[in-house]
């Protein structure tokens, strides 16, 4: 009688597996497995707890993934779990998102940018600038030009190594003395800031 029960359970298991397969309109190809049924909406994964979201956000932040950390912290329902560091992280992420929006925006949208130059050689390049800051003491430069994907990492590396600028930027003695004699990084908040 035990063999019959085992056979019955095996048959029920097989029927359960067949029932979980979606009906197909075309026949299966040789070696192709049937696709499993899509889970119903009621079978969605449970929502992560606020503590899990905060833990994951802190891990993202430790890995210099500020925006990913902020997206997780914004999903926290109970604000009492957020501390001062989380609030600073969200504020910093807001500034970064605003900066990214500014970079992605068209020059015509902002109206603050002044066209400095334009080149139509091998690649079209546009250079804009604007003054900003508390006493109009900050010069912002925007260069719109295509960059081959193979040069993106080297370009970002050069921009990040500002303390080495005086070693490779050109300098002149005549007709006037012009060049960089000293450059230093005033602040670095994280690995890639």
């Amino acid at each position: 009688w035990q063999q019959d029960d085992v056979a019955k359970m095996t048959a029920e298991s097989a029927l359960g597996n067949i029932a979980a397969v979606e009906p197909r309109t075309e026949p299966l190809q040789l070696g192709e497995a049937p696709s499993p049924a899509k889970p119903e909406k009621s079978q969605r994964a449970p929502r992560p707890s606020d503590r899990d979201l905060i833990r994951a956000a802190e891990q993202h932040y430790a890995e210099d993934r500020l925006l990913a950390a902020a997206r997780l912290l914004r999903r926290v329902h109970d604000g009492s779990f957020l501390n001062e560091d989380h609030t600073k992280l969200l504020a910093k992420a807001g500034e970064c998102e605003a900066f990214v929006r500014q970079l992605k925006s068209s020059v015509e949208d902002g109206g603050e940018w002044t066209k400095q130059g334009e080149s139509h050689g091998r690649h079209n390049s546009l250079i804009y600038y604007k003054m900003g800051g508390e006493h109009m003491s900050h010069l912002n430069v925007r260069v719109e030009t295509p960059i081959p994907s193979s040069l993106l990492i080297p370009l970002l590396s050069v921009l990040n190594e500002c303390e080495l600028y005086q070693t490779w930027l050109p300098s002149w003695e005549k007709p006037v003395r012009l060049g960089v004699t000293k450059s230093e990084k005033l602040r670095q908040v994280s690995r890639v800031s």
Side-chain angles (χ1 to χ4, degrees):
W1 64 272
Q2 290 179 347
Q3 277 186 327
D4 290 341
D5 289 339
V6 172
K8 186 190 266 186
M9 288 178 7
T10 306
E12 287 172 357
S13 298
L15 288 174
N17 288 340
I18 291 171
V21 174
E22 278 189 16
R24 291 176 61 112
T25 55
E26 67 275 352
L28 288 176
Q29 299 298 321
L30 185 62
E32 183 181 5
S35 59
K38 295 178 184 173
E40 296 179 21
K41 291 186 180 187
S42 62
Q43 295 177 352
R44 287 184 185 165
R47 185 189 164 297
S49 71
D50 288 346
R51 290 183 196 276
D52 290 340
L53 289 170
I54 290 171
R55 205 172 301 120
E58 289 170 347
Q59 180 64 36
H60 282 303
Y61 186 70
E63 296 169 355
D64 284 330
R65 298 179 64 206
L66 174 69
L67 299 180
R71 281 191 292 272
L72 289 172
L73 288 178
R74 289 183 184 124
R75 291 175 50 196
V76 172
H77 286 294
D78 186 357
S80 66
F81 286 119
L82 301 178
N83 61 30
E84 184 180 341
D85 290 337
H86 299 136
T87 306
K88 288 179 183 178
L89 184 151
L90 287 168
K92 186 176 178 182
E95 291 173 10
C96 289
E97 289 164 339
F99 181 67
V100 169
R101 278 192 301 276
Q102 178 188 6
L103 290 177
K104 287 182 174 181
S105 70
S106 170
V107 173
E108 291 81 26
D109 295 343
E112 305 168 339
W113 295 96
T114 303
K115 185 186 262 185
Q116 174 63 33
E118 191 170 340
S119 169
H120 297 287
R122 283 181 56 197
H123 302 288
N124 291 339
S125 298
L126 300 167
I127 301 172
Y128 301 91
Y129 74 92
K130 71 176 178 177
M131 299 301 293
E134 190 175 314
H135 300 288
M136 299 301 278
S137 59
H138 294 149
L139 173 66
N140 296 301
V141 178
R142 177 178 180 147
V143 179
E144 294 182 5
T145 188
I147 299 172
S149 60
S150 62
L151 295 179
L152 182 60
I153 299 299
L155 174 66
L156 293 175
S157 298
V158 166
L159 294 174
N160 194 40
E161 297 293 337
C162 63
E163 60 272 359
L164 299 176
Y165 286 177
Q166 79 271 6
T167 64
W168 60 267
L169 280 174
S171 60
W172 296 270
E173 293 293 325
K174 293 181 181 178
V176 292
R177 188 177 168 134
L178 179 65
V180 176
T181 57
K182 180 182 177 184
S183 62
E184 67 181 86
K185 189 177 291 189
L186 299 178
R187 181 177 71 160
Q188 181 161 345
V189 179
S190 66
R191 235 180 347 184
V192 292
S193 64

